[in-house]
Amino acid sequence: METKYIFVTGGVVSSLGKGITASSLGLLLKKHGLNVFMQKFDPYLNIDPGTMSPYQHGEVFVTEDGAETDLDLGHYERFIDVNLTKESSVTSGKIYKHVLDCERKGNYLGATIQVIPHITNEIKRRILLAEKTSNADVIITEIGGTVGDIESQPFIEAIRQFRIDKGFQNVVFIHNTLVPFLRSSEELKTKPTQHSVKELQSFGIQPDIIVLRSEKKVNESHKEKISMFCNISKDAVFESLDQKIIYEIITSLHEQGLDKYILKRLNITDEKYTKEICLDDYKDLIKRIKNLKESVKIGIVGKYVELHDAYISIIESLKHAGYKLDSKVDIYWINSSNLNDTNINDVINDVNGIVIPGGFGSRGTEGKELAIKYCRENNIPLLGICFGLQLAIIEYAKDVLKIKDPNSTEIDERCENPVIDYLPEQYKGINLGGTMRLGAYECKLNKDSKVYQLYNNQELIKERHRHRFEFNNKYLDIFKKDPNFLISGVNPQTNLLEIFELKNNDYFVCCQFHPEFKSRPLRPHPLFVGLIKASLNKKYEQEC
Ligand code: GLN
């Protein structure tokens, strides 16, 4: 079978959920037996989002092979459950950098370098690269931004050309738009969609499928109108109604026949792929989510708490673990900068468990340390992630081991005892972009640890990293001598401390890696399951 390509564009407004549409479709096609790979084009000029503030961009999602990417890739991975790669994340920055580097090397043999063909050719090469490296049957590419943005025009032009290169039967364009509901007149409006499709047509692209995001049900007359004005058959117009549970988008698109329509349109006729698919796993999950019996309160202590997207994978991981344990997870956002000795008791007593997520820089670290100390002393379940581990090490060094002035060189370069220090290959003044310890590394678990049991007695695990600092092994002996401190896992190649737990606490687990990147709705991550289980127990205890 020839490789098939699906491009997803967005119109009218941003944040329409085209990433969710794209990944739902990816999951449906995967269920049809096709090998699916996904890719995101981002029109900004940063090489990757790695150097952007979480306030600007939300979370930076890290792939197994160490790419720092847009948070949409997290949605893709959670839905299609395929590990994506560097080839999945393409920014204008990457495209221009490559073209300009080639120009400097003289690769273009004296030509004038232009957006068309040089930039558009490079964009097309990235699609082919994704195809080649993934060996997938179907590549789904989401174009970031909204059609009509100046910045995304080269991407739109490139995919227009791509259809000519690969043939009509191999390329599908899906356009996602908004159908707003006007409360005063109580009606849905199709005009913004008509305008957005016109805009797309002005770039030479006729969408094959339109997916309408709306808060109210779209009826046949709306679809007829869109069909007529957008030059598209009525059965190619689908709706994506606001859903309380995002997995209902998968079942709804399937019930409307989106996957069947696409298979037909792409001329995929082999019975192997066209058979009816089974969505029972997701239907069961939806049913379970609707009937959760328990609830548990988890506090996330961070400094970007106003912007929940900065912690999106952690939020999802908590929910996944909750579903497994039949529990709704209510998240309490705790701004670390506002925590102090006076309020810590009240704030933490409100919740049943705590997550200290990753972070950078010194702002808000005192509040995080206070929360860690409180959890340690009061046996409140805690999961510390990356910076969370580093701060827990500092707190333990200071308050339990009585090491003088312990800190991380990231927070205080001149501290007396840098219990957290630069990784060997890192140094002050290193370029910030793409130079951290990134991607998946092995970790060998200690068979005596709780964590080992949580990982189902697996000795060797692989988890994703994104950090520049680490536990300083000069202090290893002091920590090892403490009877309550258990090193639960180390990197077998470098001996770096990857995970520790406190024996006397029910659940006090800190890891240098980011477990949140590997949690899936049907396969929650063991460390989050451990946290929720312990937090449920804590809740019963608190209630008694
Ligand atoms: N700032 C810390 C480091 O660079 C932790 C990073 C993180 O939490 N992702 O090591």
Side-chain angles (χ1 to χ4, degrees):
M1 189 179 87
E2 282 180 289
T3 309
K4 307 291 179 180
Y5 308 87
I6 298 171
F7 295 101
V8 182
T9 53
V12 184
V13 291
S14 59
S15 306
L16 265 182
K18 56 182 185 328
I20 301 288
T21 305
S23 12
S24 300
L25 176 62
L27 173 67
L28 292 174
L29 295 178
K30 191 181 164 196
K31 293 243 177 208
H32 275 281
L34 292 157
N35 195 343
V36 177
F37 191 75
M38 296 188 69
Q39 189 180 39
K40 169 103 194 259
F41 286 165
D42 273 306
Y44 52 74
L45 284 170
N46 302 58
I47 301 288
D48 59 44
T51 56
M52 280 191 226
S53 151
Y55 285 128
Q56 285 277 315
H57 189 269
E59 164 188 284
V60 173
F61 185 80
V62 181
T63 56
E64 203 75 357
D65 67 346
E68 296 177 279
T69 73
D70 187 85
L71 56 78
D72 267 319
L73 265 80
H75 293 308
Y76 301 168
E77 280 206 2
R78 284 187 282 273
F79 273 67
I80 66 169
D81 202 3
V82 167
N83 282 342
L84 301 175
T85 65
K86 288 191 166 76
E87 268 57 71
S88 298
S89 176
V90 178
T91 64
S92 292
K94 274 191 189 138
I95 299 286
Y96 277 87
K97 182 163 191 316
H98 181 88
V99 170
L100 294 175
D101 285 347
C102 287
E103 184 271 339
R104 288 291 84 181
K105 281 188 218 148
N107 292 2
Y108 296 119
L109 304 174
T112 305
I113 313 304
Q114 293 176 301
V115 171
I116 305 171
H118 298 94
I119 295 296
T120 46
N121 280 353
E122 177 56 18
I123 295 170
K124 291 195 284 180
R125 191 182 71 86
R126 298 285 174 147
I127 307 166
L128 297 174
L129 203 60
E131 176 200 336
K132 202 165 138 208
T133 50
S134 67
N135 237 329
D137 304 313
V138 182
I139 309 284
I140 302 177
T141 306
E142 178 189 346
I143 322 295
T146 308
V147 165
D149 296 347
I150 290 175
E151 293 175 320
S152 62
Q153 281 179 15
F155 290 106
I156 303 284
E157 168 59 15
I159 63 173
R160 183 193 69 77
Q161 294 175 13
F162 197 80
R163 165 127 98 186
I164 302 168
D165 298 349
K166 290 291 172 181
F168 180 81
Q169 73 287 2
N170 293 325
V171 179
V172 164
F173 295 130
I174 300 180
H175 192 51
N176 226 188
T177 68
L178 177 74
V179 184
F181 178 70
L182 290 191
R183 233 156 266 286
S184 52
S185 55
E186 299 239 321
E187 50 180 351
L188 285 168
K189 288 295 187 189
T190 63
K191 190 73 93 190
T193 297
Q194 297 173 34
H195 281 299
S196 170
V197 170
K198 266 209 187 93
E199 184 86 28
L200 197 56
Q201 287 165 339
S202 75
F203 297 118
I205 290 184
Q206 168 62 45
D208 303 286
I209 289 167
I210 296 179
V211 177
L212 306 169
R213 170 78 185 267
S214 87
E215 66 177 285
K216 295 267 185 233
K217 194 138 186 50
V218 175
N219 62 34
E220 292 307 300
S221 70
H222 297 125
K223 287 190 184 173
E224 268 158 26
K225 215 172 190 180
I226 287 174
S227 157
M228 187 168 69
F229 285 105
C230 299
N231 190 28
I232 186 169
S233 101
K234 196 175 125 215
D235 54 354
V237 184
F238 296 84
E239 70 167 8
S240 167
L241 211 53
D242 288 1
Q243 303 283 2
K244 276 212 182 82
I245 301 171
I246 51 171
Y247 311 112
E248 286 184 300
I249 296 170
I250 303 167
T251 48
S252 155
L253 290 175
H254 175 64
E255 276 154 22
Q256 295 175 63
L258 177 67
D259 43 332
K260 279 249 165 71
Y261 188 90
I262 286 190
L263 291 177
K264 202 163 138 214
R265 166 66 184 73
L266 286 171
N267 206 15
I268 301 176
T269 51
D270 191 329
E271 222 187 291
K272 180 161 102 191
Y273 302 121
T274 57
K275 281 203 293 271
E276 193 44 56
I277 57 172
C278 173
L279 281 175
D280 284 354
D281 45 1
Y282 276 90
K283 285 185 188 157
D284 286 350
L285 178 67
I286 293 165
K287 216 190 298 158
R288 209 171 335 134
I289 298 173
K290 285 185 176 160
N291 296 295
L292 296 174
K293 293 191 183 64
E294 290 291 342
S295 69
V296 64
K297 298 177 194 164
I298 301 293
I300 299 183
V301 184
K303 67 174 174 183
Y304 310 111
V305 289
E306 306 89 334
L307 184 77
H308 300 176
D309 267 359
Y311 304 105
I312 184 80
S313 290
I314 291 183
I315 300 171
E316 290 301 314
S317 305
L318 288 168
K319 286 192 203 162
H320 301 161
Y323 301 152
K324 186 180 164 104
L325 298 168
D326 223 355
S327 305
K328 177 169 179 290
V329 178
D330 293 317
I331 293 177
Y332 281 53
W333 295 100
I334 303 174
N335 191 333
S336 54
S337 307
N338 300 339
L339 278 180
N340 53 47
D341 286 322
T342 336
N343 63 17
I344 186 85
N345 199 338
D346 293 342
V347 176
I348 309 261
N349 267 336
D350 249 7
V351 299
N352 314 118
I354 287 281
V355 175
I356 311 279
F360 293 85
S362 56
R363 183 170 69 85
T365 51
E366 280 162 24
K368 287 184 186 175
E369 273 182 49
L370 266 182
I372 291 166
K373 184 174 160 77
Y374 192 89
C375 289
R376 183 177 57 73
E377 291 179 340
N378 296 284
N379 197 20
I380 310 280
L382 173 133
L383 176 61
I385 298 173
C386 203
F387 206 34
L389 170 138
Q390 299 177 356
L391 294 171
I393 290 283
I394 296 166
E395 192 277 324
Y396 206 75
K398 193 185 313 170
D399 297 321
V400 181
L401 303 177
K402 304 293 176 203
I403 296 174
K404 213 174 137 216
D405 186 25
N407 217 330
S408 162
T409 25
E410 178 178 6
I411 301 169
D412 178 6
E413 253 182 278
R414 286 206 281 254
C415 66
E416 216 165 292
N417 285 296
V419 286
I420 303 293
D421 201 0
Y422 279 111
L423 282 153
E425 65 279 17
Q426 304 278 338
Y427 51 90
K428 194 180 168 201
I430 193 172
N431 263 352
L432 292 188
T435 55
M436 279 187 259
R437 182 176 182 232
L438 292 166
Y441 288 89
E442 283 184 341
C443 169
K444 193 167 172 222
L445 294 180
N446 180 339
K447 289 191 171 169
D448 297 327
S449 64
K450 283 188 196 116
V451 163
Y452 174 70
Q453 283 174 21
L454 281 171
Y455 274 93
N456 235 337
N457 299 349
Q458 228 179 301
E459 208 179 345
L460 203 59
I461 56 163
K462 236 178 152 188
E463 294 283 0
R464 299 185 195 172
H465 294 252
R466 181 173 185 250
H467 59 114
R468 208 176 291 287
F469 299 83
E470 56 152 336
F471 178 77
N472 186 345
N473 269 344
K474 269 193 225 146
Y475 297 89
L476 192 61
D477 284 342
I478 309 179
F479 277 82
K480 266 188 171 164
K481 272 192 206 126
D482 182 272
N484 187 25
F485 186 93
L486 183 72
I487 298 179
S488 333
V490 292
N491 178 303
Q493 281 87 39
T494 59
N495 243 355
L496 289 184
L497 181 141
E498 296 284 20
I499 179 159
F500 79 83
E501 61 196 55
L502 296 185
K503 289 190 204 160
N504 295 343
N505 287 53
D506 292 340
Y507 195 82
F508 190 109
V509 173
C510 297
C511 49
Q512 185 55 76
F513 51 79
H514 289 268
E516 69 271 26
F517 297 142
K518 289 182 86 162
S519 178
R520 305 287 173 257
L522 300 170
R523 218 157 28 81
H525 193 284
L527 295 187
F528 285 93
V529 175
L531 174 74
I532 300 296
K533 218 182 246 170
S535 305
L536 281 166
N537 288 339
K538 188 76 200 169
K539 182 186 164 190
Y540 304 138
E541 210 180 276
Q542 283 163 335
E543 280 169 359
C544 281

